[in-house]
C-alpha cells in the first residue's frame, strides 16, 4: 500500500527539535538504531542501483527534487553533500536526471564519489577531484543525447557519494523547468522537460521536494500548478522556499513575516513550507569552510527574524521550518521512515522478482537446449502454426476479440493503409454501410464486398463517339444476318465493361487481400491473450525471430497467391460475359426490362438488316416514317428471306425502273421508329448507275420502298427533329447492355467467386499451406529459422545477463531479509 508524506503540521517542541538537531546529520555509528538505519539505507541503495541497471520498476522510496531553472536545486544538492562540485556552472540538471546516493560514512574524511556504469549495476573507479564530477555529468549527458538524437532524456545518471559530512539520503535531481529553449535547442524542449519531470514525479512511492525562490509570490508561481497536477493535495510534497535571505529585507513587523511564513490561502492549512538560505560566495573555499558558511547563514537568518523584525516572529510555530539544517534533518528522517514502512512490501516484491527471473532463466535454458532438439522444435512450430491458422479462421467466422475498437479499421483507414485509395474511375463518394465502424475479419470482408457493389453500380456505360459507333455498326451491318445494330450496341457495351470493370475487380481483390493480411497480427494477439486468460501452456515460440519472420512471410505469400488466383477467376468471368458468344445481352429478360425502347430498337434493327452503306455523321439526313410503316406490313417470314445469290440477275430484271430502290443507313439524327429515308427520283439512262443500284439491292426484298438519288448518292429529308436519332438509340441500347453485363457479373459470378476464392482456402487450406512451406523441408533448412549465425552466442549472452540479474536480486533479497529481522 502506498504511503504519503505530509509535511509536518504539528510543531515539535524545542526539546524535540534540539534532539533532532543533535541526531542529524552525524548519527552515532555505535548505536543499534543507527546501525539498523545504515543497513536499511545500504540495502535500498543497492536495490536502486540494480533497478537502474536492469530496468526494474520497483517502488523504492525516493526523493525527487523539482523546480524551475535557477531556483536553487543545484546549490541545495551541494549543501546536502557537504562539498561543492560546481554543478550549477555546467547546467548539469537541465537535460538528464541525476540520482545522488549519499552515504554517511564517518571514515570518509574526504568525499568518495563513484558513477554507476551505463547499463550496468557496477560502479566505476572513485573520482579523485570534486571538480571532475561536473565534467563527467556533462559528458555523459551529451553522449546520450547525441546517441538518442533527443534534447532531453529520462535515463538517469547514478552517482554514489560516501562522506562523513553527508546524511543517508537519496535524491533524484530533475531537469529544471524552463520557459524557453536555449540557443541551438529544439523549440519544444520546455515541453519535453515538463513531460519528463511529471513522469518521474508521478509514481506514488516518491516524495516530491519542490523548490521556489522567495522572490516569487505564491499567487504568481509559474510551476506550482504543475506540481498540483501531480500531487493535488500536497500529501507527498515537501515545499522549500529558496534564497529566503533575499526576502527578509522586505519585512519590518511581526505580522508581515508571520503572514508570509504561514503561506495561508495558497498551500492549504495543513502544508508548511521550509525556508532555506545558502551561502552566495562561489569562490574557491575548502569543504570545511563551505559547511561552516551554511551554518552561519542559518544562524544569521534566525538572528534577523528575532532581532531585525519588530516583535520577532512566531518561533514556536515556524522555527522547525526555518534553515537548511531543519530541511536536511526532515528529509533524512522522512526517507528513513518510508524505508521502514516499505521494507515488508519490498521484501515480498523481491521474492516475486527472483521467482520471475528464475523462470526466465529456465526458459532460456530450454531454448538453448532446443537448438539441438530438432524434433521438439518441429512439433512446437507445427502446433504454433496450427494455432495461428485456427485463430485466423475464427476471426473470419466472426470472432470479436481482440477488441475491434483497438484492432479494427474504418473504410477510410483501410483505403489509406492499403495504399489503394479510392476505387479507380469512380468519381462518386462511395460510403458503404458501417464505413465508420472499426471492423476486421469476416465483417470487414463483407463490408469491402458491399463497397465493391456500390462502386460498380455507380459506373454507367461511358459515352461513345459517333466515329466509334460508325466503325462498329458499319462492320456489323456488312455481315448481314438481321442483327447489325443490336450487335453493334452489344459490342460497345462489352468493350466498355472490359475497360471499366476490370480495374474495379482487381482493386476488390487487393482490398480483400489487405483485410485478410491484417488477420495475422490479430491472430498473434488472440493467441497471446487466450494463453494468458485461460492459463494455457501452448508452445512458446517467443524469441525465435527467424521462425516468426518465416511464418509471417509464408502467410503473406498465401494471401497474395489467393489474390492472384481470384483476379484470374473474376477476369475469366468478365471475359465470359463480354464474349461475343455470350447471350447475356440477348436474354428474354433484357427486352422485357426495357419496354418500348427495346421494342423500337428491335424494329429499327430488323428494318436495317440488309443495309451496308450506312450514314452516322453528325447532322445527317432525317428519315421518313412511311418506309417503316410499309415495312411493318410485310409478313415476318418475308422480312427474313434472302434473295438467292444465283437468281440476283432475274430479280433485277423483273423490276421496273420506277421500282428500283437503294437501301439506306439510318442517320444519327433519324427518328427511332423509322429505318430508312429517301426521296423519289426518276433514274436516267446511266447504265453504271443501274448496275450500282442492282448490286446494292441484290439481297433486299423491299426495294420498292426506297428511292434512288441523282448521281447514285443518298439524300435524306429533314424531319425537323433529332431527339430520337439512331446514334442515340445505339448508345441507349449499349447502356442497357452494359447494365445487364454489370448485373450478371456482380450478382451471379463475382460475389460467390471471391467468397470461395478467399474465405474457403483460409478456413480449409491455410494450415496445410503453412505446413508445406515451413516443415516439408530437410533438417538443415528447417533449423535455419531457429539457429541463425551467432544465435547460440546471443542466447548464451542473454543467459549470462539473466544469471547476473538473478544473483544481484538474490543478494538484495538476503539483505532485506536481514533488515526485516532487525525491524
Amino acid at each position: 500500500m502506498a504511503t504519503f508524506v505530509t509535511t509536518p503540521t504539528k510543531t515539535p517542541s524545542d526539546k524535540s527539535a534540539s534532539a533532532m538537531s543533535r541526531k542529524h546529520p552525524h548519527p552515532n555509528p555505535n548505536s543499534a538504531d543507527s546501525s539498523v538505519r545504515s543497513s536499511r539505507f545500504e540495502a535500498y541503495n543497492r536495490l536502486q542501483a540494480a533497478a537502474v541497471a536492469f530496468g526494474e520498476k520497483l517502488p523504492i522510496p525516493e526523493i525527487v527534487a523539482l523546480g524551475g531553472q535557477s531556483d536553487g536545486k543545484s546549490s541545495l544538492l551541494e549543501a546536502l553533500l557537504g562539498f561543492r562540485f560546481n554543478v550549477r556552472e555546467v547546467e548539469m540538471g537541465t537535460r538528464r536526471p541525476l540520482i545522488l546516493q549519499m552515504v554517511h560514512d564517518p571514515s570518509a574524511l574526504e568525499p568518495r564519489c563513484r558513477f554507476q556504469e551505463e547499463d550496468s549495476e557496477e560502479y566505476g573507479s572513485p573520482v579523485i577531484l570534486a571538480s571532475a564530477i561536473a565534467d563527467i555529468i556533462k559528458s555523459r549527458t551529451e553522449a546520450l543525447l547525441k546517441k538518442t538524437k533527443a534534447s532531453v532524456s529520462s535515463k538517469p545518471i547514478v552517482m554514489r557519494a560516501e562522506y562523513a559530512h553527508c546524511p543517508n539520503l537519496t535524491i533524484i535531481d530533475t531537469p529544471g523547468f524552463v520557459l524557453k529553449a536555449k540557443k541551438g535547442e529544439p523549440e519544444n524542449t520546455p515541453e519535453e522537460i515538463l513531460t519528463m519531470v511529471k513522469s518521474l514525479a508521478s509514481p506514488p512511492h516518491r516524495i516530491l521536494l519542490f523548490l521556489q525562490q522567495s522572490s516569487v509570490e505564491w499567487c504568481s508561481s509559474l510551476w506550482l500548478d504543475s506540481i498540483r497536477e501531480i500531487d493535488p493535495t500536497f500529501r507527498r510534497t515537501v515545499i522549500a522556499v529558496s534564497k529566503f535571505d533575499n526576502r527578509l529585507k522586505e519585512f519590518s513587523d511581526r505580522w508581515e513575516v508571520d503572514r508570509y511564513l504561514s503561506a495561508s490561502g495558497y498551500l492549504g492549512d495543513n502544508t508548511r513550507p521550509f525556508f532555506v538560505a545558502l551561502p552566495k560566495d562561489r569562490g574557491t573555499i575548502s569543504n570545511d569552510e563551505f559547511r561552516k558558511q551554511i551554518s552561519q547563514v542559518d544562524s544569521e537568518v534566525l538572528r534577523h527574524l528575532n532581532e531585525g523584525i519588530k516583535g520577532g516572529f512566531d518561533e514556536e510555530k515556524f522555527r522547525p521550518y526555518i534553515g537548511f539544517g531543519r530541511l536536511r534533518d526532515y528529509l533524512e528522517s522522512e526517507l528513513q521512515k518510508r524505508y521502514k514502512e516499505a521494507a515488508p512490501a519490498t521484501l515480498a516484491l523481491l521474492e516475486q522478482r527472483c521467482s520471475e527471473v528464475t523462470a526466465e532463466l529456465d526458459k532460456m535454458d530450454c531454448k538453448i537446449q532446443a537448438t539441438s532438439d530438432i524434433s521438439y522444435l518441429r512439433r512446437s512450430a507445427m502446433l504454433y502454426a496450427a494455432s495461428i491458422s485456427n485463430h485466423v479462421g475464427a476471426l473470419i467466422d466472426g470472432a470479436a476479440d481482440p477488441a475491434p475498437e483497438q484492432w479494427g479499421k474504418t473504410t477510410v483507414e483501410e483505403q489509406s493503409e492499403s495504399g489503394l485509395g479510392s476505387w479507380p474511375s469512380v468519381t462518386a463518394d462511395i460510403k458503404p454501410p458501417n464505413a465508420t465502424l472499426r471492423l476486421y475479419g469476416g465483417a470487414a470482408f463483407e463490408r469491402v464486398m458491399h463497397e465493391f457493389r456500390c462502386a460498380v453500380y455507380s459506373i454507367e456505360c461511358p459515352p461513345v463517339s459517333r466515329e466509334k459507333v460508325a466503325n462498329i455498326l458499319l462492320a456489323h451491318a456488312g455481315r448481314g444476318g438481321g442483327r447489325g445494330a443490336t450487335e453493334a450496341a452489344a459490342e460497345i457495351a462489352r468493350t466498355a465493361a472490359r475497360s471499366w470493370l476490370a480495374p474495379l475487380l482487381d482493386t476488390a481483390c487487393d482490398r480483400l487481400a489487405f483485410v485478410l493480411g491484417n488477420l495475422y497480427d490479430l491472430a498473434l494477439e488472440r493467441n497471446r491473450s487466450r494463453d494468458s486468460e485461460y492459463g494455457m501452456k501452448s508452445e512458446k515460440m517467443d524469441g525465435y525471430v527467424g521462425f516468426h519472420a518465416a511464418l509471417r512471410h509464408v502467410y503473406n505469400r498465401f494471401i497474395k497467391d489467393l489474390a492472384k488466383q481470384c483476379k484470374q477467376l473474376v477476369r475469366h468471368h468478365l471475359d465470359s460475359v463480354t464474349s461475343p458468344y455470350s447471350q447475356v445481352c440477348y436474354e428474354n429478360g433484357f427486352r422485357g426490362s426495357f419496354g418500348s425502347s427495346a421494342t423500337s430498337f428491335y424494329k429499327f434493327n430488323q428494318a436495317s438488316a440488309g443495309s451496308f452503306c450506312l450514314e452516322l455523321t453528325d447532322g445527317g439526313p432525317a428519315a421518313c416514317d412511311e418506309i417503316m410503316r410499309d415495312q411493318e406490313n410485310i409478313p415476318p417470314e418475308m422480312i427474313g428471306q434472302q434473295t438467292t445469290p444465283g437468281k440476283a440477275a432475274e430479280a433485277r430484271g423483273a423490276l421496273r425502273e420506277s421500282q428500283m430502290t437503294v437501301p439506306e443507313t439510318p442517320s444519327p439524327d433519324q427518328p427511332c421508329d423509322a429505318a430508312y429515308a429517301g426521296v423519289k427520283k426518276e433514274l436516267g439512262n446511266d447504265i453504271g448507275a443501274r448496275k450500282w443500284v442492282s448490286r446494292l439491292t441484290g439481297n433486299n426484298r423491299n426495294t420498292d420502298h426506297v428511292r434512288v438519288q441523282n448521281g447514285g448518292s443518298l439524300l435524306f429529308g429533314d424531319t425537323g427533329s433529332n431527339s430520337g436519332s439512331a446514334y442515340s438509340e445505339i448508345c441507349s441500347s449499349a447502356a442497357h447492355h452494359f447494365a445487364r453485363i454489370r448485373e450478371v457479373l456482380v450478382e451471379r459470378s463475382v460475389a460467390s467467386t471471391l467468397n470461395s476464392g478467399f474465405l474457403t482456402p483460409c478456413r480449409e487450406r491455410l494450415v496445410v499451406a503453412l505446413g508445406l512451406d515451413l516443415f516439408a523441408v530437410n533438417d538443415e533448412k528447417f533449423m535455419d529459422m531457429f539457429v541463425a549465425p551467432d544465435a547460440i552466442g546471443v542466447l548464451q549472452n542473454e543467459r549470462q545477463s539473466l544469471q547476473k540479474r538473478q544473483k544481484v536480486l538474490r543478494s538484495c533479497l538476503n539483505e532485506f531479509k536481514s533488515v526485516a529481522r532487525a525491524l
Side-chain angles (χ1 to χ4, degrees):
M1 183 179 65
T3 57
F4 299 95
V5 175
T6 302
T7 304
T9 57
K10 183 178 179 181
T11 304
S13 63
D14 290 341
K15 181 177 181 181
S16 62
S18 301
M20 185 179 294
S21 298
R22 288 193 302 271
K23 184 169 65 173
H24 300 290
H26 308 295
N28 184 359
N30 297 321
S31 66
D33 181 64
S34 176
S35 177
V36 170
R37 286 190 290 106
S38 178
S39 299
R40 188 188 305 131
F41 184 78
E42 283 294 332
Y44 273 108
N45 275 352
R46 283 177 53 81
L47 184 60
Q48 188 177 52
V52 171
F54 298 113
E56 293 280 358
K57 301 296 183 181
L58 300 176
I60 303 172
E62 296 162 325
I63 297 175
V64 181
L66 310 95
Q69 194 166 345
S70 303
D71 276 348
K73 289 192 290 85
S74 300
S75 297
L76 180 64
L77 291 180
E78 290 181 332
L80 289 170
L81 284 168
F83 65 93
R84 282 180 171 168
F85 56 92
N86 212 19
V87 170
R88 184 171 55 188
E89 295 300 317
V90 297
E91 297 182 346
M92 168 275 304
T94 58
R95 300 298 174 262
R96 191 176 173 187
L98 173 68
I99 298 179
L100 278 177
Q101 296 177 338
M102 308 176 202
V103 180
H104 174 71
D105 184 358
S107 65
L109 300 180
E110 292 295 329
R112 293 195 298 261
C113 299
R114 293 182 296 164
F115 284 89
Q116 184 178 342
E117 299 294 341
E118 302 278 16
D119 302 318
S120 171
E121 81 283 4
E122 300 293 336
Y123 288 85
S125 302
V127 179
I128 304 300
L129 298 176
S131 58
I133 294 175
D135 296 332
I136 294 174
I137 293 171
K138 182 178 180 180
S139 62
R140 287 197 175 192
T141 300
E142 292 175 350
L144 181 63
L145 296 183
K146 183 178 180 180
K147 180 180 178 181
T148 58
K149 297 180 180 180
S151 57
V152 297
S153 174
S154 60
K155 185 177 182 180
I157 298 172
V158 181
M159 187 182 85
R160 178 182 174 90
E162 301 170 355
Y163 195 29
H165 302 284
C166 73
N168 287 317
L169 194 64
T170 297
I171 289 185
I172 302 176
D173 182 32
T174 62
F177 301 129
V178 293
L179 293 174
K180 187 177 180 180
K182 293 191 301 184
K183 185 178 180 180
E185 290 184 334
E187 292 296 327
N188 65 339
T189 298
E191 291 78 13
E192 289 192 9
I193 290 176
L194 183 60
T195 301
M196 183 190 71
V197 171
K198 285 183 177 180
S199 176
L200 290 171
S202 294
H205 59 271
R206 286 178 170 167
I207 305 169
L208 309 186
L209 175 60
F210 173 58
L211 273 76
Q212 180 174 275
Q213 294 188 46
S214 62
S215 58
V216 178
E217 299 293 341
W218 296 114
C219 60
S220 59
S221 174
L222 293 175
W223 310 117
L224 189 61
D225 289 340
S226 299
I227 303 302
R228 274 201 176 95
E229 292 177 9
I230 304 170
D231 182 22
T233 60
F234 300 127
R235 294 186 62 191
R236 58 187 181 93
T237 300
V238 178
I239 298 177
V241 178
S242 62
K243 305 178 182 179
F244 180 52
D245 51 337
N246 294 338
R247 191 65 183 264
L248 284 176
K249 305 169 186 177
E250 300 179 9
F251 304 131
S252 58
D253 293 329
R254 174 170 177 155
W255 67 270
E256 293 177 327
V257 69
D258 285 350
R259 185 179 64 176
Y260 176 78
L261 294 176
S262 65
S264 60
Y266 298 103
L267 304 180
D269 296 335
N270 296 325
T271 303
R272 293 285 183 269
F274 286 85
F275 299 88
V276 178
L278 293 171
K280 293 183 173 59
D281 183 13
R282 300 301 299 178
T284 303
I285 56 175
S286 65
N287 294 333
D288 290 339
E289 183 63 25
F290 175 59
R291 293 190 299 274
K292 186 182 297 183
Q293 288 182 1
I294 294 174
S295 300
Q296 289 176 352
V297 170
D298 278 354
S299 300
E300 290 173 0
V301 167
L302 287 174
R303 183 168 60 251
H304 181 83
L305 286 172
N306 287 316
E307 301 176 3
I309 303 295
K310 184 178 180 180
F313 73 107
D314 191 340
E315 189 169 357
E316 181 180 357
K317 186 176 182 180
F318 299 115
R319 175 66 181 86
Y321 309 107
I322 296 176
F324 165 77
R326 296 303 180 100
L327 175 62
R328 178 194 57 197
D329 295 345
Y330 176 78
L331 291 176
E332 185 179 12
S333 62
E334 188 63 33
L335 189 60
Q336 287 292 337
K337 184 181 75 173
R338 291 289 297 275
Y339 282 162
K340 183 176 181 180
E341 292 172 351
T346 304
L347 180 62
L349 185 61
L350 277 174
E351 291 177 341
Q352 176 185 341
R353 287 286 196 273
C354 286
S355 299
E356 292 172 352
V357 172
T358 300
E360 290 182 29
L361 192 58
D362 292 340
K363 189 187 301 182
M364 184 61 64
D365 289 337
C366 291
K367 281 187 179 181
I368 295 175
Q369 183 180 1
T371 54
S372 59
D373 190 346
I374 300 177
S375 61
Y376 171 78
L377 282 178
R378 280 188 185 272
R379 175 184 177 276
S380 300
M382 291 174 70
L383 290 175
Y384 187 85
S387 177
I388 295 299
S389 300
N390 291 336
H391 287 306
V392 170
L395 291 166
I396 290 175
D397 291 336
D401 60 299
E405 298 84 358
Q406 178 182 356
W407 294 87
K409 298 183 187 299
T410 64
T411 295
V412 173
E413 289 173 342
E414 285 180 2
Q415 292 174 345
S416 174
E417 294 179 23
S418 64
L420 299 173
S422 59
W423 296 88
S425 303
V426 175
T427 58
D429 187 14
I430 305 299
K431 292 292 184 183
N434 306 312
T436 58
L437 296 182
R438 296 185 177 276
L439 304 179
Y440 57 63
F445 189 95
E446 290 302 319
R447 183 174 63 185
V448 173
M449 289 296 298
H450 193 93
E451 186 183 353
F452 165 70
R453 288 188 177 93
C454 295
V456 170
Y457 283 114
S458 71
I459 291 183
E460 301 295 338
C461 186
V464 185
S465 67
R466 293 177 181 271
E467 288 76 8
K468 189 170 184 179
V469 172
N471 275 273
I472 298 174
L473 185 55
L474 287 170
H476 280 283
R479 300 173 191 169
R483 302 180 66 174
T486 298
E487 289 293 342
E491 181 60 27
I492 292 171
R494 287 192 288 262
T495 302
R498 285 191 292 266
S499 175
W500 290 79
L501 298 184
L504 294 179
L505 294 173
D506 289 345
T507 301
C509 292
D510 291 335
R511 282 283 303 279
L512 294 174
F514 175 77
V515 168
L516 296 179
N518 285 338
L519 295 187
Y520 183 82
D521 289 324
L522 275 78
L524 291 180
E525 178 61 25
R526 184 178 167 87
N527 191 58
R528 284 192 292 265
S529 62
R530 285 300 178 91
D531 288 352
S532 175
E533 180 179 355
Y534 297 108
M536 299 169 61
K537 295 182 179 179
S538 62
E539 301 304 325
K540 299 297 183 183
M541 304 301 291
D542 298 341
Y544 293 116
V545 178
F547 168 73
H548 282 287
L551 182 60
R552 182 183 291 272
H553 173 72
V554 172
Y555 178 84
N556 290 337
R557 188 173 62 190
F558 176 77
I559 299 298
K560 186 177 181 180
D561 290 344
L562 291 184
K564 183 178 180 181
Q565 294 168 12
C566 286
K567 286 181 180 180
Q568 293 174 348
L569 288 173
V570 294
R571 281 297 187 99
H572 173 72
H573 288 303
L574 178 62
D575 292 341
S576 297
V577 296
T578 57
S579 168
Y581 303 102
S582 173
Q583 295 300 309
V584 169
C585 296
Y586 313 120
E587 293 178 357
N588 293 333
F590 168 71
R591 290 178 185 166
S593 301
F594 301 107
S596 61
S597 296
T599 303
S600 63
F601 190 77
Y602 173 71
K603 294 178 182 179
F604 162 73
N605 184 74
Q606 293 297 325
S608 61
S611 303
F612 84 98
C613 183
L614 307 175
E615 174 63 56
L616 286 92
T617 58
D618 192 10
C624 179
D625 290 339
E626 180 184 355
I627 305 302
M628 191 64 235
R629 286 194 295 271
D630 291 340
Q631 183 79 1
E632 290 176 347
N633 293 327
I634 300 175
E637 60 271 14
M638 295 184 64
I639 295 177
Q641 291 178 2
Q642 298 287 334
T643 301
T644 305
K647 297 183 178 181
E650 180 182 349
R652 287 193 297 270
L655 294 174
R656 297 190 304 272
E657 289 183 351
S658 62
Q659 294 174 325
M660 194 71 69
T661 61
V662 176
E664 186 175 352
T665 302
S667 167
D669 301 312
Q670 188 175 6
C672 62
D673 288 333
Y676 299 102
V679 177
K680 184 176 179 181
K681 180 72 177 180
E682 294 292 338
L683 291 173
N685 294 324
D686 189 346
I687 303 301
R690 290 175 179 239
K691 292 181 179 180
W692 177 72
V693 172
S694 298
R695 287 196 299 269
L696 290 180
T697 60
N699 293 326
N700 194 339
R701 297 296 301 265
N702 305 312
T703 56
D704 58 328
H705 299 294
V706 182
R707 303 294 182 262
V708 180
Q709 197 177 21
N710 274 335
S713 63
L714 300 177
L715 179 63
F716 299 97
D718 187 5
T719 65
S721 174
N722 297 334
S723 61
S725 68
Y727 171 74
S728 300
E729 279 294 341
I730 292 173
C731 290
S732 176
S733 181
H736 293 318
H737 290 325
F738 180 87
R740 182 60 176 167
I741 291 172
R742 179 181 62 189
E743 179 185 0
V744 170
L745 179 67
V746 174
E747 304 302 336
R748 296 186 187 178
S749 305
V750 172
S752 59
T753 298
L754 293 179
N755 273 277
S756 61
F758 276 112
L759 300 185
T760 301
C762 285
R763 293 188 183 102
E764 300 176 0
R765 295 191 352 239
L766 177 58
V767 65
V768 176
L770 297 181
L772 288 176
D773 282 344
L774 293 175
F775 312 124
V777 295
N778 58 37
D779 289 347
E780 182 179 358
K781 187 174 181 180
F782 174 78
M783 289 303 294
D784 286 344
M785 294 186 293
F786 298 91
V787 186
D790 301 326
I792 298 297
V794 172
L795 292 176
Q796 292 286 1
N797 291 336
E798 290 182 9
R799 184 176 184 275
Q800 291 177 1
S801 177
L802 284 173
Q803 286 179 327
K804 195 172 186 179
R805 181 179 172 190
Q806 182 188 48
K807 180 180 179 181
V808 172
L809 289 177
R810 282 183 174 175
S811 175
C812 292
L813 177 62
N814 292 332
E815 286 189 63
F816 269 90
K817 285 181 178 180
S818 301
V819 170
R821 285 193 293 267
L823 292 178

